[in-house]
């Protein structure tokens, strides 16, 4: 129907996914199910063969959604509360599983009826239209929706409210001049934050092996290193996206992470998956331009980061050891991309150095999280009582890294590489300065960034790193 009614007493039927909340519960609950056990991946197609309603029902039996932390459309919810206060009857009609719909309706407290997908019926698009026309009969009703699937229901309703519309719903809204609640605007900065572009700085570790081998000015090696850098960066961004999709409930309970693109609903889960697949394809394409060993290292990185996201990050100490290993993998990638023989000294040093930085991250989390003494951080294996032990282990790792470096400086390898090995000794106090300063800042409560990103972006750290680089490149030139 094209005519819009001015009668505000007609029932208002409200869609859920994308309309009332800025997320899709099917996608979200699927990721939560897979996080419980990846073997469900083999059951999902079997459930889907019996119909989408059956699929949603089976997932809802195994997953709990907390309605208190979902990303609601704030302005639209306020409008619904006001309509309810005026006495208007509100109905929730959704393609989401009945269990989820009823828990959300109970939480909000202003819906008079709930119609949702069950095991035999998927209440979306034309099926929802038919159901509503049968339910309301000759009685007019209004409808609030957001997507192409809602257009048939808009046409059947006597009035419409369009919320955060996709392209098809936006076109319908402009044609019919329906009431509009627009979505928050996004831009390239929002997209960059979704990709965690600032975290790409970690991948500059790929340049370390050619720099230490004094081959970075070789054009072929420089180009290989740049290609490897972007391959790792694209792969890392893809994993960040997937990690965010698995961690939606945890992120929404975090003071800062709740503002992430998917936790807040700025970007849809389906959009994130498309971007992640595209990034992995780009990473794979770039990897084919380098020696096959680099592709093997990249694959190990992808498997390790996925395992970390799904399970390892919840394991006491295994998480920080894995993080240290992931940093070291970047150094191995730099060696593999340029067919530079890996150095035992470099790998030993990086293991202790990055273990210390990984422990800083956990220390800061413990410091910034209010917990009952025996409770663990959400999604982690640590308690408040562990904070001092974590700090002791981190500082000890920092000194172990400096010790490995000191032993290296005094080894035959340095004598063969440098004309003036004694000029490399200042690297030991430089490493201690970088690491211990971070621990002092963390103890003061002034460390809020990823430690590696902090070192790369902090001007004081940049100065001492530049001094160290000058000592390596100029003061200790190869004989």
């Amino acid at each position: 129907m094209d005519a819009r009614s001015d009668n505000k007493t007609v029932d208002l039927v409200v869609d859920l996914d994308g309309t009332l909340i800025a997320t899709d519960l099917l996608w979200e609950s699927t990721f939560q199910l897979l996080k419980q056990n990846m073997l469900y991946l083999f059951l999902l197609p079997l459930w889907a063969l019996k119909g989408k309603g059956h699929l949603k029902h089976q997932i809802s039996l195994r997953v709990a959604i907390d309605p208190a932390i979902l990303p609601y459309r704030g302005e639209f919810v306020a409008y619904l509360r006001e309509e309810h206060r005026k006495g208007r009857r509100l109905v929730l009609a959704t393609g989401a599983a009945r269990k989820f719909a009823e828990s959300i309706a109970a939480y909000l407290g202003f819906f008079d009826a709930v119609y949702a997908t069950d095991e035999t019926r998927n209440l979306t698009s034309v099926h929802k239209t038919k159901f509503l026309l049968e339910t309301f009969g000759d009685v007019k009703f209004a409808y609030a929706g957001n997507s192409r699937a809602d257009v048939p229901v808009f046409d059947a309703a006597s009035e419409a409210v369009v919320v955060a519309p996709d392209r098809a719903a936006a076109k319908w809204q402009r044609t019919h001049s329906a009431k509009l609640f627009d979505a928050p605007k996004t831009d390239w900065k929002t997209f960059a934050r979704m990709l965690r572009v600032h975290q790409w700085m970690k991948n500059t570790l790929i340049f370390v092996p050619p720099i230490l081998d004094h081959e970075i000015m070789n054009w072929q090696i420089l180009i290989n290193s740049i290609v490897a850098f972007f391959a790792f960066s694209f792969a890392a961004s893809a994993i960040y996206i997937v990690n965010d999709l698995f961690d939606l409930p945890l992120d929404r309970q975090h003071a800062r992470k709740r503002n992430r693109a998917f936790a807040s609903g700025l970007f849809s889960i389906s959009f994130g998956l498309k971007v992640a697949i595209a990034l992995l394809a780009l990473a794979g394409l770039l990897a084919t331009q380098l020696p096959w060993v680099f592709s093997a290292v990249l694959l190990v990185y992808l498997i390790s980061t996925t395992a970390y996201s799904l399970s390892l990050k919840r394991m006491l100490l295994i998480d920080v050891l894995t993080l240290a290993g992931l940093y070291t993998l970047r150094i191995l990638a730099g060696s593999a991309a340029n067919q530079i023989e890996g150095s035992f000294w470099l790998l030993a040093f990086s293991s202790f150095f990055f273990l210390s930085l990984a422990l800083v991250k956990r220390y800061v989390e413990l410091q910034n999280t209010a917990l009952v003494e025996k409770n663990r951080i959400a999604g982690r294996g640590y308690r408040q009582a562990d904070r001092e032990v974590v700090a002791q282990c981190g500082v000890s790792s920092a000194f172990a890294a400096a010790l490995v470096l000191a032993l290296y400086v005094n080894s035959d390898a340095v004598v063969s590489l440098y004309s003036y090995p004694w000029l490399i000794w200042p690297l030991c106090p430089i490493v201690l300065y970088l690491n211990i300063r971070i621990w002092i800042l963390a103890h003061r409560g002034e460390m809020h960034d990823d430690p590696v990103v902090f070192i790369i972006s902090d001007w004081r750290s940049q100065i001492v790193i530049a001094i160290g680089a000058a000592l390596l490149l100029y003061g200790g030139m190869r004989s």
Side-chain angles (χ1 to χ4, degrees), residues 74-115:
E75 186 180 359
F76 180 57
V77 170
Y79 166 77
L80 293 177
R81 290 192 186 280
E82 181 61 19
E83 292 297 295
H84 177 70
R85 188 190 66 79
K86 292 177 180 177
R88 192 173 195 179
R89 187 170 183 268
L90 303 179
V91 176
L92 183 62
T94 173
R98 177 172 296 280
K99 173 187 170 184
F100 299 154
E102 290 178 344
S103 67
I104 291 169
Y107 171 74
L108 293 174
F110 51 63
F111 285 107
D112 300 284
V114 177
Y115 305 127

mmCIF file of all heavy atoms in Angstrom, residues 74-115:
data_model
loop_
_atom_site.group_PDB
_atom_site.id
_atom_site.type_symbol
_atom_site.label_atom_id
_atom_site.label_comp_id
_atom_site.label_asym_id
_atom_site.label_seq_id
_atom_site.Cartn_x
_atom_site.Cartn_y
_atom_site.Cartn_z
ATOM 1 N N GLY A 74 19.650 3.124 19.728
ATOM 2 C CA GLY A 74 19.231 3.946 20.859
ATOM 3 C C GLY A 74 18.082 4.885 20.560
ATOM 4 O O GLY A 74 17.091 4.943 21.319
ATOM 5 N N GLU A 75 18.170 5.633 19.477
ATOM 6 C CA GLU A 75 17.125 6.612 19.154
ATOM 7 C C GLU A 75 15.803 5.912 18.846
ATOM 8 O O GLU A 75 14.732 6.366 19.264
ATOM 9 C CB GLU A 75 17.565 7.454 17.959
ATOM 10 C CG GLU A 75 16.619 8.597 17.615
ATOM 11 C CD GLU A 75 17.083 9.399 16.418
ATOM 12 O OE1 GLU A 75 18.160 9.083 15.854
ATOM 13 O OE2 GLU A 75 16.349 10.332 16.011
ATOM 14 N N PHE A 76 15.876 4.792 18.144
ATOM 15 C CA PHE A 76 14.663 4.054 17.802
ATOM 16 C C PHE A 76 14.033 3.425 19.042
ATOM 17 O O PHE A 76 12.803 3.430 19.198
ATOM 18 C CB PHE A 76 14.988 2.979 16.764
ATOM 19 C CG PHE A 76 13.813 2.152 16.344
ATOM 20 C CD1 PHE A 76 12.679 2.751 15.804
ATOM 21 C CD2 PHE A 76 13.831 0.762 16.479
ATOM 22 C CE1 PHE A 76 11.579 1.983 15.411
ATOM 23 C CE2 PHE A 76 12.740 0.000 16.088
ATOM 24 C CZ PHE A 76 11.621 0.603 15.553
ATOM 25 N N VAL A 77 14.847 2.893 19.933
ATOM 26 C CA VAL A 77 14.324 2.309 21.175
ATOM 27 C C VAL A 77 13.632 3.385 22.013
ATOM 28 O O VAL A 77 12.566 3.136 22.598
ATOM 29 C CB VAL A 77 15.454 1.629 21.977
ATOM 30 C CG1 VAL A 77 14.971 1.246 23.376
ATOM 31 C CG2 VAL A 77 15.958 0.391 21.246
ATOM 32 N N ALA A 78 14.213 4.578 22.054
ATOM 33 C CA ALA A 78 13.578 5.680 22.783
ATOM 34 C C ALA A 78 12.214 6.016 22.172
ATOM 35 O O ALA A 78 11.238 6.297 22.903
ATOM 36 C CB ALA A 78 14.478 6.909 22.763
ATOM 37 N N TYR A 79 12.133 5.980 20.838
ATOM 38 C CA TYR A 79 10.858 6.222 20.146
ATOM 39 C C TYR A 79 9.832 5.158 20.520
ATOM 40 O O TYR A 79 8.659 5.461 20.793
ATOM 41 C CB TYR A 79 11.114 6.225 18.639
ATOM 42 C CG TYR A 79 9.880 6.121 17.783
ATOM 43 C CD1 TYR A 79 9.046 7.218 17.585
ATOM 44 C CD2 TYR A 79 9.552 4.908 17.157
ATOM 45 C CE1 TYR A 79 7.904 7.110 16.785
ATOM 46 C CE2 TYR A 79 8.423 4.799 16.359
ATOM 47 C CZ TYR A 79 7.611 5.896 16.175
ATOM 48 O OH TYR A 79 6.483 5.794 15.391
ATOM 49 N N LEU A 80 10.268 3.888 20.562
ATOM 50 C CA LEU A 80 9.351 2.805 20.931
ATOM 51 C C LEU A 80 8.864 2.946 22.367
ATOM 52 O O LEU A 80 7.671 2.707 22.656
ATOM 53 C CB LEU A 80 10.046 1.453 20.741
ATOM 54 C CG LEU A 80 10.376 1.035 19.305
ATOM 55 C CD1 LEU A 80 11.123 -0.297 19.300
ATOM 56 C CD2 LEU A 80 9.118 0.935 18.462
ATOM 57 N N ARG A 81 9.747 3.335 23.254
ATOM 58 C CA ARG A 81 9.339 3.530 24.652
ATOM 59 C C ARG A 81 8.284 4.624 24.761
ATOM 60 O O ARG A 81 7.314 4.507 25.533
ATOM 61 C CB ARG A 81 10.562 3.874 25.518
ATOM 62 C CG ARG A 81 11.536 2.732 25.722
ATOM 63 C CD ARG A 81 12.549 3.041 26.804
ATOM 64 N NE ARG A 81 13.559 2.012 26.898
ATOM 65 C CZ ARG A 81 13.395 0.850 27.533
ATOM 66 N NH1 ARG A 81 12.238 0.587 28.116
ATOM 67 N NH2 ARG A 81 14.384 -0.035 27.573
ATOM 68 N N GLU A 82 8.470 5.678 23.994
ATOM 69 C CA GLU A 82 7.505 6.778 24.030
ATOM 70 C C GLU A 82 6.157 6.338 23.453
ATOM 71 O O GLU A 82 5.094 6.681 23.986
ATOM 72 C CB GLU A 82 8.057 7.969 23.236
ATOM 73 C CG GLU A 82 7.152 9.186 23.209
ATOM 74 C CD GLU A 82 6.865 9.777 24.584
ATOM 75 O OE1 GLU A 82 7.618 9.490 25.538
ATOM 76 O OE2 GLU A 82 5.870 10.523 24.700
ATOM 77 N N GLU A 83 6.193 5.574 22.353
ATOM 78 C CA GLU A 83 4.948 5.063 21.774
ATOM 79 C C GLU A 83 4.237 4.139 22.755
ATOM 80 O O GLU A 83 3.013 4.179 22.893
ATOM 81 C CB GLU A 83 5.255 4.317 20.466
ATOM 82 C CG GLU A 83 5.744 5.201 19.335
ATOM 83 C CD GLU A 83 4.694 6.215 18.918
ATOM 84 O OE1 GLU A 83 3.637 5.802 18.420
ATOM 85 O OE2 GLU A 83 4.935 7.424 19.120
ATOM 86 N N HIS A 84 5.008 3.306 23.448
ATOM 87 C CA HIS A 84 4.428 2.409 24.452
ATOM 88 C C HIS A 84 3.810 3.210 25.594
ATOM 89 O O HIS A 84 2.714 2.875 26.083
ATOM 90 C CB HIS A 84 5.514 1.471 24.978
ATOM 91 C CG HIS A 84 5.048 0.561 26.071
ATOM 92 N ND1 HIS A 84 4.185 -0.477 25.874
ATOM 93 C CD2 HIS A 84 5.340 0.557 27.411
ATOM 94 C CE1 HIS A 84 3.961 -1.098 27.014
ATOM 95 N NE2 HIS A 84 4.647 -0.491 27.957
ATOM 96 N N ARG A 85 4.497 4.276 25.992
ATOM 97 C CA ARG A 85 3.961 5.122 27.073
ATOM 98 C C ARG A 85 2.633 5.764 26.689
ATOM 99 O O ARG A 85 1.746 5.946 27.534
ATOM 100 C CB ARG A 85 4.983 6.208 27.419
ATOM 101 C CG ARG A 85 4.644 7.030 28.653
ATOM 102 C CD ARG A 85 5.562 8.224 28.804
ATOM 103 N NE ARG A 85 5.363 9.178 27.711
ATOM 104 C CZ ARG A 85 4.358 10.044 27.663
ATOM 105 N NH1 ARG A 85 3.442 10.075 28.626
ATOM 106 N NH2 ARG A 85 4.247 10.874 26.643
ATOM 107 N N LYS A 86 2.494 6.059 25.405
ATOM 108 C CA LYS A 86 1.253 6.667 24.916
ATOM 109 C C LYS A 86 0.121 5.654 24.767
ATOM 110 O O LYS A 86 -1.008 6.029 24.441
ATOM 111 C CB LYS A 86 1.506 7.329 23.555
ATOM 112 C CG LYS A 86 2.414 8.549 23.620
ATOM 113 C CD LYS A 86 2.677 9.093 22.221
ATOM 114 C CE LYS A 86 3.588 10.306 22.252
ATOM 115 N NZ LYS A 86 3.891 10.794 20.870
ATOM 116 N N GLY A 87 0.448 4.374 24.982
ATOM 117 C CA GLY A 87 -0.583 3.345 24.915
ATOM 118 C C GLY A 87 -0.613 2.553 23.628
ATOM 119 O O GLY A 87 -1.525 1.740 23.413
ATOM 120 N N ARG A 88 0.352 2.755 22.767
ATOM 121 C CA ARG A 88 0.370 2.034 21.498
ATOM 122 C C ARG A 88 0.791 0.585 21.725
ATOM 123 O O ARG A 88 1.696 0.297 22.516
ATOM 124 C CB ARG A 88 1.325 2.702 20.527
ATOM 125 C CG ARG A 88 1.200 2.206 19.096
ATOM 126 C CD ARG A 88 2.056 3.019 18.164
ATOM 127 N NE ARG A 88 1.698 2.792 16.768
ATOM 128 C CZ ARG A 88 2.284 3.396 15.740
ATOM 129 N NH1 ARG A 88 3.271 4.265 15.950
ATOM 130 N NH2 ARG A 88 1.906 3.147 14.491
ATOM 131 N N ARG A 89 0.168 -0.327 21.019
ATOM 132 C CA ARG A 89 0.508 -1.741 21.127
ATOM 133 C C ARG A 89 1.699 -2.028 20.231
ATOM 134 O O ARG A 89 1.696 -1.721 19.038
ATOM 135 C CB ARG A 89 -0.682 -2.610 20.722
ATOM 136 C CG ARG A 89 -0.469 -4.118 20.966
ATOM 137 C CD ARG A 89 -1.789 -4.876 20.766
ATOM 138 N NE ARG A 89 -1.635 -6.287 21.068
ATOM 139 C CZ ARG A 89 -1.323 -7.216 20.157
ATOM 140 N NH1 ARG A 89 -1.157 -6.864 18.892
ATOM 141 N NH2 ARG A 89 -1.210 -8.476 20.508
ATOM 142 N N LEU A 90 2.745 -2.624 20.810
ATOM 143 C CA LEU A 90 3.977 -2.937 20.080
ATOM 144 C C LEU A 90 4.133 -4.449 19.958
ATOM 145 O O LEU A 90 3.944 -5.184 20.935
ATOM 146 C CB LEU A 90 5.197 -2.350 20.792
ATOM 147 C CG LEU A 90 5.184 -0.832 21.033
ATOM 148 C CD1 LEU A 90 6.445 -0.408 21.760
ATOM 149 C CD2 LEU A 90 5.029 -0.085 19.724
ATOM 150 N N VAL A 91 4.491 -4.893 18.752
ATOM 151 C CA VAL A 91 4.646 -6.320 18.472
ATOM 152 C C VAL A 91 6.037 -6.558 17.890
ATOM 153 O O VAL A 91 6.458 -5.856 16.964
ATOM 154 C CB VAL A 91 3.576 -6.796 17.465
ATOM 155 C CG1 VAL A 91 3.796 -8.261 17.109
ATOM 156 C CG2 VAL A 91 2.174 -6.581 18.036
ATOM 157 N N LEU A 92 6.751 -7.534 18.429
ATOM 158 C CA LEU A 92 8.054 -7.918 17.889
ATOM 159 C C LEU A 92 7.846 -9.095 16.947
ATOM 160 O O LEU A 92 7.371 -10.157 17.356
ATOM 161 C CB LEU A 92 9.008 -8.305 19.020
ATOM 162 C CG LEU A 92 10.445 -8.673 18.613
ATOM 163 C CD1 LEU A 92 11.140 -7.486 17.959
ATOM 164 C CD2 LEU A 92 11.245 -9.154 19.820
ATOM 165 N N ALA A 93 8.159 -8.894 15.660
ATOM 166 C CA ALA A 93 8.027 -9.961 14.653
ATOM 167 C C ALA A 93 9.370 -10.118 13.951
ATOM 168 O O ALA A 93 9.813 -9.206 13.249
ATOM 169 C CB ALA A 93 6.928 -9.626 13.655
ATOM 170 N N THR A 94 10.004 -11.246 14.114
ATOM 171 C CA THR A 94 11.399 -11.375 13.686
ATOM 172 C C THR A 94 11.713 -12.741 13.101
ATOM 173 O O THR A 94 11.083 -13.747 13.453
ATOM 174 C CB THR A 94 12.341 -11.118 14.874
ATOM 175 O OG1 THR A 94 13.684 -11.397 14.490
ATOM 176 C CG2 THR A 94 11.989 -11.992 16.067
ATOM 177 N N GLY A 95 12.708 -12.738 12.248
ATOM 178 C CA GLY A 95 13.229 -13.991 11.715
ATOM 179 C C GLY A 95 14.205 -14.670 12.652
ATOM 180 O O GLY A 95 14.673 -15.773 12.375
ATOM 181 N N ALA A 96 14.536 -14.009 13.754
ATOM 182 C CA ALA A 96 15.436 -14.618 14.747
ATOM 183 C C ALA A 96 14.727 -15.739 15.488
ATOM 184 O O ALA A 96 13.496 -15.823 15.501
ATOM 185 C CB ALA A 96 15.919 -13.556 15.729
ATOM 186 N N ALA A 97 15.497 -16.610 16.118
ATOM 187 C CA ALA A 97 14.931 -17.731 16.865
ATOM 188 C C ALA A 97 14.047 -17.235 18.005
ATOM 189 O O ALA A 97 14.317 -16.207 18.623
ATOM 190 C CB ALA A 97 16.050 -18.617 17.412
ATOM 191 N N ARG A 98 12.977 -17.980 18.268
ATOM 192 C CA ARG A 98 12.010 -17.566 19.284
ATOM 193 C C ARG A 98 12.667 -17.358 20.651
ATOM 194 O O ARG A 98 12.352 -16.397 21.361
ATOM 195 C CB ARG A 98 10.898 -18.612 19.399
ATOM 196 C CG ARG A 98 9.863 -18.300 20.486
ATOM 197 C CD ARG A 98 8.701 -19.253 20.438
ATOM 198 N NE ARG A 98 7.973 -19.124 19.186
ATOM 199 C CZ ARG A 98 7.087 -18.166 18.933
ATOM 200 N NH1 ARG A 98 6.823 -17.247 19.847
ATOM 201 N NH2 ARG A 98 6.465 -18.128 17.779
ATOM 202 N N LYS A 99 13.581 -18.233 21.016
ATOM 203 C CA LYS A 99 14.238 -18.121 22.319
ATOM 204 C C LYS A 99 14.909 -16.768 22.461
ATOM 205 O O LYS A 99 14.791 -16.097 23.506
ATOM 206 C CB LYS A 99 15.259 -19.242 22.473
ATOM 207 C CG LYS A 99 16.133 -19.147 23.713
ATOM 208 C CD LYS A 99 17.226 -20.217 23.673
ATOM 209 C CE LYS A 99 18.261 -19.998 24.770
ATOM 210 N NZ LYS A 99 19.374 -20.972 24.678
ATOM 211 N N PHE A 100 15.623 -16.321 21.429
ATOM 212 C CA PHE A 100 16.311 -15.033 21.486
ATOM 213 C C PHE A 100 15.311 -13.878 21.510
ATOM 214 O O PHE A 100 15.470 -12.931 22.277
ATOM 215 C CB PHE A 100 17.241 -14.879 20.278
ATOM 216 C CG PHE A 100 18.331 -15.910 20.194
ATOM 217 C CD1 PHE A 100 18.892 -16.248 18.967
ATOM 218 C CD2 PHE A 100 18.801 -16.549 21.331
ATOM 219 C CE1 PHE A 100 19.901 -17.193 18.881
ATOM 220 C CE2 PHE A 100 19.809 -17.496 21.263
ATOM 221 C CZ PHE A 100 20.358 -17.822 20.028
ATOM 222 N N ALA A 101 14.289 -13.963 20.665
ATOM 223 C CA ALA A 101 13.301 -12.884 20.567
ATOM 224 C C ALA A 101 12.574 -12.692 21.891
ATOM 225 O O ALA A 101 12.368 -11.550 22.351
ATOM 226 C CB ALA A 101 12.306 -13.192 19.457
ATOM 227 N N GLU A 102 12.186 -13.777 22.526
ATOM 228 C CA GLU A 102 11.452 -13.672 23.784
ATOM 229 C C GLU A 102 12.318 -13.113 24.905
ATOM 230 O O GLU A 102 11.836 -12.349 25.752
ATOM 231 C CB GLU A 102 10.883 -15.035 24.161
ATOM 232 C CG GLU A 102 9.741 -15.480 23.244
ATOM 233 C CD GLU A 102 9.197 -16.852 23.591
ATOM 234 O OE1 GLU A 102 9.889 -17.592 24.341
ATOM 235 O OE2 GLU A 102 8.097 -17.197 23.119
ATOM 236 N N SER A 103 13.600 -13.479 24.924
ATOM 237 C CA SER A 103 14.484 -12.946 25.974
ATOM 238 C C SER A 103 14.706 -11.446 25.789
ATOM 239 O O SER A 103 14.748 -10.695 26.765
ATOM 240 C CB SER A 103 15.823 -13.686 25.961
ATOM 241 O OG SER A 103 16.553 -13.414 24.773
ATOM 242 N N ILE A 104 14.815 -10.989 24.545
ATOM 243 C CA ILE A 104 14.986 -9.552 24.273
ATOM 244 C C ILE A 104 13.715 -8.791 24.618
ATOM 245 O O ILE A 104 13.770 -7.710 25.228
ATOM 246 C CB ILE A 104 15.394 -9.345 22.798
ATOM 247 C CG1 ILE A 104 16.817 -9.871 22.573
ATOM 248 C CG2 ILE A 104 15.307 -7.874 22.406
ATOM 249 C CD1 ILE A 104 17.227 -9.954 21.121
ATOM 250 N N ALA A 105 12.558 -9.338 24.245
ATOM 251 C CA ALA A 105 11.293 -8.683 24.565
ATOM 252 C C ALA A 105 11.094 -8.575 26.071
ATOM 253 O O ALA A 105 10.640 -7.544 26.584
ATOM 254 C CB ALA A 105 10.139 -9.454 23.931
ATOM 255 N N ALA A 106 11.454 -9.630 26.790
ATOM 256 C CA ALA A 106 11.329 -9.602 28.253
ATOM 257 C C ALA A 106 12.269 -8.569 28.856
ATOM 258 O O ALA A 106 11.911 -7.876 29.830
ATOM 259 C CB ALA A 106 11.624 -10.990 28.822
ATOM 260 N N TYR A 107 13.455 -8.431 28.297
ATOM 261 C CA TYR A 107 14.420 -7.458 28.806
ATOM 262 C C TYR A 107 13.935 -6.026 28.583
ATOM 263 O O TYR A 107 14.005 -5.194 29.490
ATOM 264 C CB TYR A 107 15.767 -7.667 28.125
ATOM 265 C CG TYR A 107 16.777 -6.579 28.433
ATOM 266 C CD1 TYR A 107 17.401 -6.504 29.680
ATOM 267 C CD2 TYR A 107 17.081 -5.612 27.474
ATOM 268 C CE1 TYR A 107 18.308 -5.498 29.958
ATOM 269 C CE2 TYR A 107 17.989 -4.606 27.745
ATOM 270 C CZ TYR A 107 18.602 -4.551 28.984
ATOM 271 O OH TYR A 107 19.495 -3.548 29.265
ATOM 272 N N LEU A 108 13.424 -5.734 27.397
ATOM 273 C CA LEU A 108 12.985 -4.376 27.090
ATOM 274 C C LEU A 108 11.677 -4.030 27.796
ATOM 275 O O LEU A 108 11.477 -2.886 28.227
ATOM 276 C CB LEU A 108 12.837 -4.198 25.577
ATOM 277 C CG LEU A 108 14.145 -4.265 24.778
ATOM 278 C CD1 LEU A 108 13.871 -4.226 23.286
ATOM 279 C CD2 LEU A 108 15.071 -3.114 25.174
ATOM 280 N N GLY A 109 10.774 -4.979 27.874
ATOM 281 C CA GLY A 109 9.568 -4.791 28.672
ATOM 282 C C GLY A 109 8.466 -3.966 28.043
ATOM 283 O O GLY A 109 7.502 -3.623 28.741
ATOM 284 N N PHE A 110 8.542 -3.637 26.751
ATOM 285 C CA PHE A 110 7.454 -2.833 26.166
ATOM 286 C C PHE A 110 6.753 -3.518 24.981
ATOM 287 O O PHE A 110 5.913 -2.896 24.325
ATOM 288 C CB PHE A 110 7.936 -1.446 25.755
ATOM 289 C CG PHE A 110 9.173 -1.403 24.890
ATOM 290 C CD1 PHE A 110 9.195 -1.962 23.624
ATOM 291 C CD2 PHE A 110 10.331 -0.772 25.350
ATOM 292 C CE1 PHE A 110 10.316 -1.903 22.830
ATOM 293 C CE2 PHE A 110 11.474 -0.711 24.557
ATOM 294 C CZ PHE A 110 11.460 -1.277 23.285
ATOM 295 N N PHE A 111 7.079 -4.775 24.709
ATOM 296 C CA PHE A 111 6.382 -5.485 23.641
ATOM 297 C C PHE A 111 5.189 -6.246 24.205
ATOM 298 O O PHE A 111 5.270 -6.901 25.244
ATOM 299 C CB PHE A 111 7.326 -6.445 22.921
ATOM 300 C CG PHE A 111 8.298 -5.765 21.999
ATOM 301 C CD1 PHE A 111 9.643 -5.662 22.333
ATOM 302 C CD2 PHE A 111 7.851 -5.210 20.812
ATOM 303 C CE1 PHE A 111 10.536 -5.024 21.484
ATOM 304 C CE2 PHE A 111 8.742 -4.561 19.955
ATOM 305 C CZ PHE A 111 10.082 -4.465 20.298
ATOM 306 N N ASP A 112 4.073 -6.160 23.484
ATOM 307 C CA ASP A 112 2.838 -6.828 23.914
ATOM 308 C C ASP A 112 2.702 -8.220 23.328
ATOM 309 O O ASP A 112 1.917 -9.032 23.833
ATOM 310 C CB ASP A 112 1.627 -5.981 23.502
ATOM 311 C CG ASP A 112 1.657 -4.596 24.140
ATOM 312 O OD1 ASP A 112 1.342 -4.504 25.342
ATOM 313 O OD2 ASP A 112 2.013 -3.621 23.456
ATOM 314 N N ALA A 113 3.425 -8.507 22.262
ATOM 315 C CA ALA A 113 3.381 -9.834 21.644
ATOM 316 C C ALA A 113 4.696 -10.082 20.915
ATOM 317 O O ALA A 113 5.379 -9.140 20.515
ATOM 318 C CB ALA A 113 2.198 -9.935 20.683
ATOM 319 N N VAL A 114 5.037 -11.351 20.776
ATOM 320 C CA VAL A 114 6.268 -11.739 20.089
ATOM 321 C C VAL A 114 5.957 -12.832 19.080
ATOM 322 O O VAL A 114 5.379 -13.863 19.424
ATOM 323 C CB VAL A 114 7.335 -12.256 21.089
ATOM 324 C CG1 VAL A 114 8.581 -12.717 20.332
ATOM 325 C CG2 VAL A 114 7.689 -11.186 22.098
ATOM 326 N N TYR A 115 6.321 -12.590 17.825
ATOM 327 C CA TYR A 115 6.230 -13.592 16.772
ATOM 328 C C TYR A 115 7.640 -13.809 16.240
ATOM 329 O O TYR A 115 8.319 -12.857 15.867
ATOM 330 C CB TYR A 115 5.309 -13.133 15.633
ATOM 331 C CG TYR A 115 3.917 -12.749 16.080
ATOM 332 C CD1 TYR A 115 3.375 -11.508 15.740
ATOM 333 C CD2 TYR A 115 3.136 -13.626 16.828
ATOM 334 C CE1 TYR A 115 2.100 -11.147 16.135
ATOM 335 C CE2 TYR A 115 1.864 -13.274 17.243
ATOM 336 C CZ TYR A 115 1.350 -12.036 16.893
ATOM 337 O OH TYR A 115 0.086 -11.687 17.304
#
